[in-house]
Amino acid sequence: MSVAVYFGIKCFVVVALLRGFLAETLKEPLQNSTGSKRDGKVLSLFQIVQFQNDPCSTGATRNGTCYTQGECESRGGSSLGSCANGFGVCCAFTLSCGGMSSENCTYLVQTSTTTAINPCKYTICPCDKHICRLRFDFTNFNINGPVTASAISDVDLSAATTLGGAIGDCTTDTFTITAPGNFAPPLICGFNSGQHMIVDACPEKCNEVNFGLTGSGTRNWDIKVTQYACGDELGGPDGCLQYFTGTTGTVASFNFPTTAASLETTTTHLSNQCQNMCWRQEMNTCGICWIPEILGTDDVTGSFGISTTSGGNKARGETDGKCRGDYLLIPNAQSNVETSDQDTFTIGSIGSDVRLSDRLCGRQFSSANDNGDRRMSRSVCTQQRPFRMTFKTDEDEVTQSPATGAPPNSAPTNELNRVPGGIVGFNLRWTLQACT
Ligand SMILES: *[C@@H]1O[C@H](CO)[C@@H](O)[C@H](O)[C@H]1NC(C)=O
Ligand SMILES: *[C@@H]1O[C@H](CO)[C@@H](O)[C@H](O)[C@H]1NC(C)=O
Ligand SMILES: *[C@@H]1O[C@H](CO)[C@@H](O)[C@H](O)[C@H]1NC(C)=O
């Protein structure tokens, strides 16, 4: 609660001056307008204006919290303009490496740099004792990416078999967020603009955000940190690293080139991921479907490719037992293969040729029962609620030489064998489905 003072009914912006004068008179800061006897005399001359320290937006590139001018300065913020009918200023908090903040709506900003800053640490502390969740929105996020590889079709890959352990590892730049007493999010690197992470906050403990930049490269980032009180639905359900609201949008693995119109065969997901994604069940929705933003074909990389595929020399989708190291977990996933590849899912139906699956991987996004029908990405849906999906990867990619006697382009033992490769990750459009 901030306090400003004005003279009678004239809304003079002499707030700061008067406030100083009053504090001097009362020998303590004013916090409350109910007024003890001691305040009485002063209150007959001045009226006290109180306002909540609410989030504010002035149309500037950043948002802030409404404070008095004096409070904003003493808290290390900068004014974006006025709020609370001119009695306060919309105060923005921007940190550079080494900074610390306990303000809701704090920005972590690094303009383009080639300096290997290691570590670059930010400390985020709860703004009050009822904070349970911290949301980090990556408005811009560009640091060096992981070790990549190239998927190729129809050639003998025996030369490429030594990379497997390193592919997807963040060997130059890293980003982590700590979550004291709770599960920490996975370590990431690369391009992550538009992504977000929500982590648990712990009362009286601070969360650390760490960039480790080594080697060369140009990096920049701009991350908005929002604090949510316990029980605030916008903080997302427990255990959710990402939380989506609305009826449609996209969801991607970290380091996915979500802004590219077409994909390189070197598109590479990260190692050791555990990405829990959760969706709000909006009014009158009973299901959710996902489909790759870019549909892959045989030989063209689409926005789905995870792990090996058992289908000889054809790139196809795999489910359940075939998905061990890396996979997407979608409880009771089903594709509707009888229609087209678009969203044509009917709530309450389980079409023919559909396999109810929990794990999906392979080179096409499909849980069709028939092998032929798995050679094309499909809309995959679930009616299981709450709507959730998990992306899990282990530390290695599988890049063994083809088994003796196997055709050189057989994909079961090598994720780089065939395009789309099994190193891609995912970028899927999701759409909630109306109840019938
Ligand atoms: C002012 O203080 C009193 C007692 O300390 C409290 O009951 C009241 O809610 C406060 N009023 C405001 C507007 O904060
Ligand atoms: C500021 O807040 C408004 C809502 O009040 C939101 O639409 C906008 O995206 C926010 N801008 C930034 C830079 O966070
Ligand atoms: C922090 O600001 C967001 C809006 O940007 C708001 O929804 C949230 O309730 C605020 N958190 C607290 C603890 O006030």
Side-chain angles (χ1 to χ4, degrees):
M1 183 82 72
S2 287
V3 182
V5 181
Y6 67 95
F7 202 134
I9 29 174
K10 279 186 198 158
C11 300
F12 253 71
V13 191
V14 289
V15 172
L17 277 176
L18 287 174
R19 189 157 182 267
F21 166 60
L22 270 183
E24 194 55 36
T25 313
L26 300 174
K27 297 285 183 242
E28 62 178 78
L30 285 171
Q31 288 301 338
N32 191 306
S33 65
T34 50
S36 62
K37 268 185 189 156
R38 187 181 38 140
D39 299 343
K41 262 188 183 156
V42 180
L43 287 173
S44 61
L45 287 172
F46 303 104
Q47 244 181 311
I48 294 161
V49 179
Q50 290 188 319
F51 54 86
Q52 298 290 330
N53 300 123
D54 285 334
C56 50
S57 176
T58 59
T61 50
R62 304 201 183 284
N63 289 340
T65 302
C66 199
Y67 282 119
T68 64
Q69 177 91 47
E71 276 172 323
C72 181
E73 280 162 18
S74 67
R75 287 167 179 266
S78 57
S79 167
L80 297 170
S82 67
C83 55
N85 295 319
F87 292 104
V89 294
C90 189
C91 189
F93 296 90
T94 304
L95 301 186
S96 38
C97 292
M100 179 175 193
S101 170
S102 53
E103 300 292 340
N104 188 14
C105 193
T106 291
Y107 296 85
L108 317 180
V109 180
Q110 177 62 58
T111 52
S112 189
T113 182
T114 52
T115 312
I117 315 168
N118 184 25
C120 166
K121 181 171 98 175
Y122 301 92
T123 308
I124 305 294
C125 304
C127 61
D128 73 44
K129 59 179 186 291
H130 306 296
I131 299 302
C132 275
R133 305 275 280 167
L134 299 176
R135 178 173 169 131
F136 298 82
D137 280 289
F138 306 156
T139 310
N140 283 310
F141 191 116
N142 296 286
I143 63 176
N144 285 332
V147 173
T148 60
S150 270
I152 28 182
S153 288
D154 300 323
V155 283
D156 188 338
L157 275 172
S158 40
T161 55
T162 53
L163 257 177
I167 297 170
D169 293 359
C170 299
T171 50
T172 55
D173 289 358
T174 58
F175 173 85
T176 55
I177 306 177
T178 65
N182 294 298
F183 280 114
L187 181 152
I188 62 166
C189 60
F191 170 81
N192 290 291
S193 299
Q195 293 273 17
H196 71 276
M197 286 186 178
I198 307 176
V199 307
D200 288 323
C202 190
E204 287 151 37
K205 293 222 169 94
C206 302
N207 297 58
E208 279 180 10
V209 178
N210 284 292
F211 282 91
L213 312 181
T214 64
S216 57
T218 306
R219 299 85 158 190
N220 67 77
W221 58 83
D222 193 327
I223 300 175
K224 181 186 181 188
V225 190
T226 310
Q227 307 205 358
Y228 289 103
C230 305
D232 187 336
E233 192 245 309
L234 289 178
D238 273 354
C240 301
L241 179 68
Q242 297 188 308
Y243 185 51
F244 302 92
T245 59
T247 54
T248 188
T250 57
V251 60
S253 44
F254 291 104
N255 191 45
F256 198 96
T258 50
T259 52
S262 64
L263 299 169
E264 309 284 342
T265 54
T266 52
T267 306
T268 306
H269 70 71
L270 303 176
S271 306
N272 290 317
Q273 297 294 291
C274 183
Q275 179 183 357
N276 282 319
M277 298 148 272
C278 305
W279 282 262
R280 183 165 71 185
Q281 186 183 0
E282 303 291 358
M283 288 282 278
N284 299 319
T285 60
C286 289
I288 181 169
C289 296
W290 298 266
I291 191 164
E293 263 290 83
I294 300 176
L295 291 172
T297 62
D298 249 340
D299 269 359
V300 176
T301 305
S303 60
F304 180 83
I306 300 171
S307 196
T308 53
T309 177
S310 63
N313 60 356
K314 295 294 178 194
R316 68 174 202 201
E318 301 294 345
T319 53
D320 294 335
K322 299 269 170 51
C323 303
R324 284 185 285 263
D326 300 348
Y327 53 86
L328 270 177
L329 182 71
I330 301 176
N332 282 318
Q334 54 186 103
S335 346
N336 190 346
V337 297
E338 295 308 305
T339 51
S340 71
D341 52 352
Q342 300 305 318
D343 268 348
T344 49
F345 183 67
T346 308
I347 294 295
S349 74
I350 295 179
S352 57
D353 191 27
V354 167
R355 181 179 293 189
L356 275 180
S357 316
D358 290 331
R359 292 182 184 193
L360 287 97
C361 66
R363 310 303 175 77
Q364 301 290 350
F365 186 60
S366 171
S367 69
N369 204 32
D370 179 76
N371 282 341
D373 284 337
R374 290 185 181 211
R375 288 178 47 201
M376 179 181 181
S377 276
R378 303 286 183 172
S379 177
V380 172
C381 309
T382 184
Q383 304 177 58
Q384 175 105 24
R385 288 163 252 165
F387 304 142
R388 292 193 174 190
M389 178 165 91
T390 299
F391 180 49
K392 192 213 152 274
T393 66
D394 63 11
E395 59 188 352
D396 294 325
E397 299 302 299
V398 179
T399 57
Q400 290 157 18
S401 306
T404 314
N409 59 356
S410 78
T413 55
N414 197 317
E415 295 185 31
L416 304 178
N417 238 331
R418 296 216 65 80
V419 172
I423 58 170
V424 175
F426 66 92
N427 181 24
L428 307 172
R429 172 151 298 275
W430 55 270
T431 312
L432 298 192
Q433 304 296 309
C435 305
T436 46

